[in-house]
Amino acid sequence: MGLYYRERFSNGQEIAVWEITEQESELAALCLAAGHNPGEFSHTVNRQRRLERMAVRVLVDILFDRHTIIQYRDNGKPFLVHGKELPEKELKALSIAHTRRFACIVTAPGDKAGIDLECLSRNFEAVAKKALGKEEKVFLSDNLQQRTLQLALIWCAKEAMFKYMSQEEVDFSKQMTVAPFFPETEGVLSGTFQQQNGTTLLLPLCYKKLDDHFMVWVTG
């Protein structure tokens, strides 16, 4: 299908989502048409991962141009370096998420960005055991459908916060908390992240339902 969703926000963030329905050869052709060498993805052994990487590359080209380079810090966090024709190279934060159906990115000014995407067909009960704190378990619904939506959003929110903060050895159940909420098709969430020095940061988040997926990103 191609570009599924795109939105630019007043804070300078921009989100784009690609629905991966193409054959590998079709995505490779899109990359080639934009001036990229499809061979740069060949070292990725897993076919699905190659599709995801190519879809992300296409999304970056849509938002910027083919001279915008995806680079990675020592901890694996991606960021963008803008076009070589600009007088000065500009850095922009980047966060990436994908499932078998979608690839999505969020870009932001500065050096922090965090997004996650999850398919609702996944069994999130394991998430409840390993990633939820006592405060979150209290407000989970007894209704199975609502509980699944809550678990999906909590997990997405914590993954997005984890990417945003980019710290090692984070305890999802103790260092991150999502305030009580009732799941809608889109809305806002309030998250907190407790750093190892004891400082607690408030991280506002937004979410949006994309058919059978939830997407959550840090808006801070």
Side-chain angles (χ1 to χ4, degrees):
M1 178 176 177
L3 186 63
Y4 186 89
Y5 169 78
R6 179 183 181 181
E7 187 168 358
R8 184 173 178 83
F9 303 92
S10 59
N11 63 359
Q13 289 184 322
E14 190 164 9
I15 287 177
V17 180
W18 186 273
E19 185 175 16
I20 306 172
T21 59
E22 300 84 2
Q23 296 295 319
E24 183 173 352
S25 59
E26 294 174 303
L27 276 175
L30 289 175
C31 292
L32 182 63
H36 306 293
N37 177 10
E40 67 183 271
F41 306 102
S42 61
H43 69 275
T44 302
V45 177
N46 184 281
R47 176 182 176 275
Q48 182 61 32
R49 293 294 177 264
R50 288 198 302 274
L51 293 176
E52 292 160 0
R53 288 192 61 216
M54 285 190 282
V56 167
R57 180 64 258 182
V58 173
L59 286 174
V60 171
D61 288 340
I62 290 173
L63 265 58
F64 303 104
D65 59 55
R66 68 186 181 90
H67 299 302
T68 300
I69 303 167
I70 303 173
Q71 295 188 342
Y72 295 87
R73 305 191 189 281
D74 291 341
N75 61 3
K77 186 175 183 178
F79 66 99
L80 297 174
V81 178
H82 282 232
K84 64 181 182 181
E85 66 269 338
L86 295 177
E88 293 183 5
K89 288 186 176 181
E90 177 189 356
L91 301 182
K92 205 173 187 75
L94 170 70
S95 185
I96 299 167
H98 39 67
T99 64
R100 293 192 66 84
R101 180 179 175 185
F102 291 117
C104 70
I105 62 173
V106 60
T107 67
D111 61 354
K112 289 184 181 295
I115 195 167
D116 194 51
L117 181 72
E118 294 289 343
C119 181
L120 295 174
S121 63
R122 172 181 171 179
N123 183 352
F124 289 95
E125 287 306 316
V127 170
K129 295 178 181 179
K130 74 175 184 179
L132 267 65
K134 295 179 180 178
E135 305 93 334
E136 293 150 342
K137 291 178 181 178
V138 168
F139 72 81
L140 284 180
S141 174
D142 293 328
N143 179 280
L144 181 59
Q145 183 178 12
Q146 292 299 316
R147 176 186 174 90
T148 298
L149 296 178
Q150 287 176 314
L151 288 174
L153 281 169
I154 291 171
W155 178 249
C156 269
K158 292 194 174 187
E159 279 284 347
M161 288 192 285
F162 174 72
K163 294 176 183 179
Y164 184 87
M165 294 302 300
S166 190
Q167 295 183 9
E168 296 181 356
E169 298 181 2
V170 174
D171 188 323
F172 276 45
S173 65
K174 295 179 180 179
Q175 289 181 251
M176 291 186 282
T177 304
V178 178
F181 64 92
F182 183 82
E184 306 283 355
T185 55
E186 59 182 75
V188 297
L189 299 170
S190 179
T192 57
F193 186 99
Q194 186 177 42
Q195 303 193 84
Q196 293 180 354
N197 64 6
T199 304
T200 299
L201 302 177
L202 177 64
L203 296 179
L205 306 109
C206 280
Y207 68 88
K208 187 176 184 67
K209 192 169 183 287
L210 304 175
D211 194 13
D212 59 347
H213 285 61
F214 262 133
M215 178 174 67
V216 182
W217 65 97
V218 180
T219 62

